[in-house]
Amino acid sequence: MAGPAAAVQRRVGGQLRRFGVFLVSGRFPGQEDAGVLRRTVLAAEAAEAAGFDDVWLAEHHFMPYGVCPSAITLAAHLLGRTERIDVGTAVSVLSTTHPVALAEQWSMLDAVSGGRLRLGVGRGGPWQDLEVFGTGIERYERGYAESLDLLLAAATGTVSANGEHFAFREVPVTPVPGGKPRIVVACGSAASGSVRLAADRGLPMLLGMHADDDAKAATVAAYGGPGGHVSTVLCQVGDDAAGLVRRTLPGWLADGLGAHVPLEGHPSPSRDPREYTDLLCEMHPVGPAEDCVAKLETSLRRTGVSHVIMFVEASGTPEDTVANIARIGAEVLPALRASSPAAPGSG
């Protein structure tokens, strides 16, 4: 049964604030991958119980930064474990995934879930994934737009290709799509070519956790204004939230960032884990509930993005992750929704 938050969504329309959980499935030092994935499932179920609108799943290969190699597969599982909440991929990497196969998976899950699946797509990076899966640096450097257009075309029910990276006769997509996919496009900065790609196709952007409010506002301006964009933040609630994040996050970041293996001729990530953790604590809602509300209110106003998804796994443990989700749902979301410009009676 749909909860009251979903009912409000239907009544109010486009400008209503939306809040989701962003789950990276990061392996913190000393953890086993199976336990990490079970933590992700528990967190998604907790997010639905806490009143979040959606949950988004990251996708990575060959590294502890994230041990979910297929966001669409884990999304399928979570759609079966939940009833109301939307589930999204953040992101499905088009440089290593066949876009028509992704469209088939979306169409099937869209049908069985009643339309609760969202697709985030991205170009990925120049990593060893391209070598392992055989798509190569060419797909990464020149094939992103072609892949995205094929995904959109396949969602209409039939698709053919005669391009640089894909060529095949027309085929029907089964199951027949029941509507258009709700797609967001990962965009790293205002200068990214992905911004124009998204804008030209009328698709909203997914803005990363690495960017501050000014950078996100600049990216929205480069796009051409509001358009259903999604902003990623770190959110940890508690009097000692910043201390907890500073104790736990650098170990995960050190292992995760250090495991990126680039193709020859491309640089490795070079962030210092502790400096990056300090930056995230400064930029994002980390602290007592009232401080988190104030920080998010400021971000919503400055960026013009009304859909926020929150990285909530900074503790690394299932118990603390679920507790953080519950506190956000009880102490942060009600205040943000009450002050929403689009809330009933606010106009």
Side-chain angles (χ1 to χ4, degrees), residues 162-196:
N162 186 23
E164 179 182 357
H165 302 280
F166 302 93
F168 52 86
R169 70 189 74 179
E170 184 174 89
V171 292
V173 175
T174 55
V176 176
K180 293 182 179 180
R182 293 178 294 158
I183 294 176
V184 295
V185 177
C187 295
S189 69
S192 167
S194 298
V195 175
R196 185 45 44 202

Side-chain angles (χ1 to χ4, degrees), residues 204-231:
M205 299 184 295
L206 174 64
L207 307 176
M209 192 165 60
H210 63 280
D212 63 15
D213 289 346
D214 289 340
K216 288 176 179 176
T219 305
V220 171
Y223 177 95
H229 309 309
V230 181
S231 172

Side-chain angles (χ1 to χ4, degrees), residues 31 35-36 38-40 42-43 315-324:
Q31 295 182 343
V36 172
R38 287 193 292 269
R39 184 187 75 215
T40 300
L42 287 173
S315 69
T317 70
E319 300 81 8
D320 287 345
T321 298
V322 168
N324 189 38

